[in-house]
Amino acid sequence: MKRLVQIFATAVLIVGNLVHAAEWPTKTITFFQPYGPGTNLDSITRFLAERMGTEFKVPIVVENKAGANGVIGTEMVARMPADGYTFLFTGPGHFTNEVLMSKVPFDPIKDFKPVARLASVMLVLVVPKASPFNSVKDIVEYAKKNPGKVSYASAGSGSAQHLSAAGFSAATGVSLLHVPYKTQAQATTDTIGGQVDFTFAALTTAGAQIKAGNLRALAVTGPRRTQSLPDLPTVAESGYPGYEFFSFNAVFVSAATPDEIVRKFSDSLAVLVKTPRFLELSRLQGFEIDFADSTAWAAMMTSERKKWADLIRTSGAKLE
């Protein structure tokens, strides 16, 4: 009898979820970001919020919940009702924090369901306009003669800026001084002001300052040049073959969210990332469209987790 009750309860839950998924959405959806504004992630999230709100005929709001290197906003989504009205737009911190910190209040795989990977993001190495460094080689040669004297800014320990610079340090054999900030925008501002020697920044954050002449771009971190700055070499082309760094932008939802909602959301994203306006956004912001739907992205979870954990360990990045 007890077994029959359990089967009946499960059937009721499944039917209820199917009905809910068929009706979804009927109210405001929230896109949470666990980082500050002014990033590629922020631009992509707001672009998609506007267009998906029109498609789904419900309001979509974007909230930046920065703090603790992304842990605060990520935990909020993990604890939200699994009803398809709260989505997490995030980056590598989703996987790196569990390695950088002694403990995080969620499991990046068990507590979330993958919805889609949207883009890969290369960064650009920038220095202040008055910097004596005119090439990547200039930075490396000076740092070798002056260990620990060349400083770089990041959006916090374990951020893409930190990991790209830590990998750069390991690849070039130089010792650098890490200066962490709360947001990428703050890190860029102090690089412009000369408080630090350089930073690895997203083009969304640094592009206007590069055009204005307040920052000088020396190289990009990807395996190939960016379509936004085609004349700018990669770090590898600058004399350090083998170095490359790509961040990612992706979407997750709390683990118990009905699969039908996840598929519907993922299918909508698959169409939007192919539109001319999203292609233009990628060109302007300097990111590479790198879409994987919910099924494909889910299949990558174990390897992604290992990839980012290995990157931290080999780069020597530490929480500071």
Side-chain angles (χ1 to χ4, degrees), residues 17-31 49 51-60 83-87 257-258 260-265 268:
N17 282 342
L18 288 174
V19 171
H20 170 65
E23 295 175 346
W24 177 92
T26 60
K27 62 180 182 179
T28 300
I29 297 171
T30 302
F31 290 176
R51 283 148 185 81
M52 296 181 86
T54 300
E55 177 184 345
F56 291 139
K57 297 181 174 59
V58 297
I60 298 181
D83 56 5
Y85 290 96
T86 306
F87 290 83
T257 303
E260 184 57 34
I261 290 176
V262 172
R263 282 193 293 269
K264 190 182 293 188
F265 195 90
S268 175

Side-chain angles (χ1 to χ4, degrees), residues 33 49 80 110 115 131 134 145 181 193 200 205 222 241 251 281 292 294-296 310:
Q33 296 179 63
M80 289 285 186
K110 292 180 181 178
V115 179
S131 172
N134 294 300
K145 296 176 182 177
Y181 291 79
F200 284 97
T205 310
V251 188
L281 181 69
S294 55
T295 300
D310 288 348

Side-chain angles (χ1 to χ4, degrees), residues 47-176:
F47 177 95
L48 294 173
E50 179 184 345
R51 283 148 185 81
M52 296 181 86
T54 300
E55 177 184 345
F56 291 139
K57 297 181 174 59
V58 297
I60 298 181
V61 298
V62 177
E63 292 193 24
N64 297 87
K65 294 292 182 180
N69 200 39
V71 169
I72 292 175
T74 303
E75 183 185 12
M76 287 181 67
V77 175
R79 308 303 173 223
M80 289 285 186
D83 56 5
Y85 290 96
T86 306
F87 290 83
L88 175 69
F89 282 68
T90 190
H94 191 74
F95 297 109
T96 60
N97 283 324
E98 65 176 348
V99 184
L100 288 163
M101 302 178 181
S102 58
K103 185 178 181 181
V104 292
F106 55 81
D107 185 290
I109 294 181
K110 292 180 181 178
D111 290 335
F112 294 90
K113 187 170 287 184
V115 179
R117 184 185 63 204
L118 302 170
S120 292
V121 184
M122 68 177 75
L123 304 179
V124 56
L125 195 166
V126 292
V127 298
K129 63 180 180 181
S131 172
F133 304 131
N134 294 300
S135 67
V136 177
K137 187 177 180 181
D138 286 347
I139 294 176
V140 173
E141 290 185 346
Y142 184 85
K144 284 184 176 180
K145 296 176 182 177
N146 302 272
K149 295 293 181 65
V150 176
S151 60
Y152 70 91
S154 84
S157 296
S159 65
Q161 296 76 38
H162 181 202
L163 292 179
S164 57
F168 176 75
S169 175
T172 58
V174 298
S175 174
L176 302 169

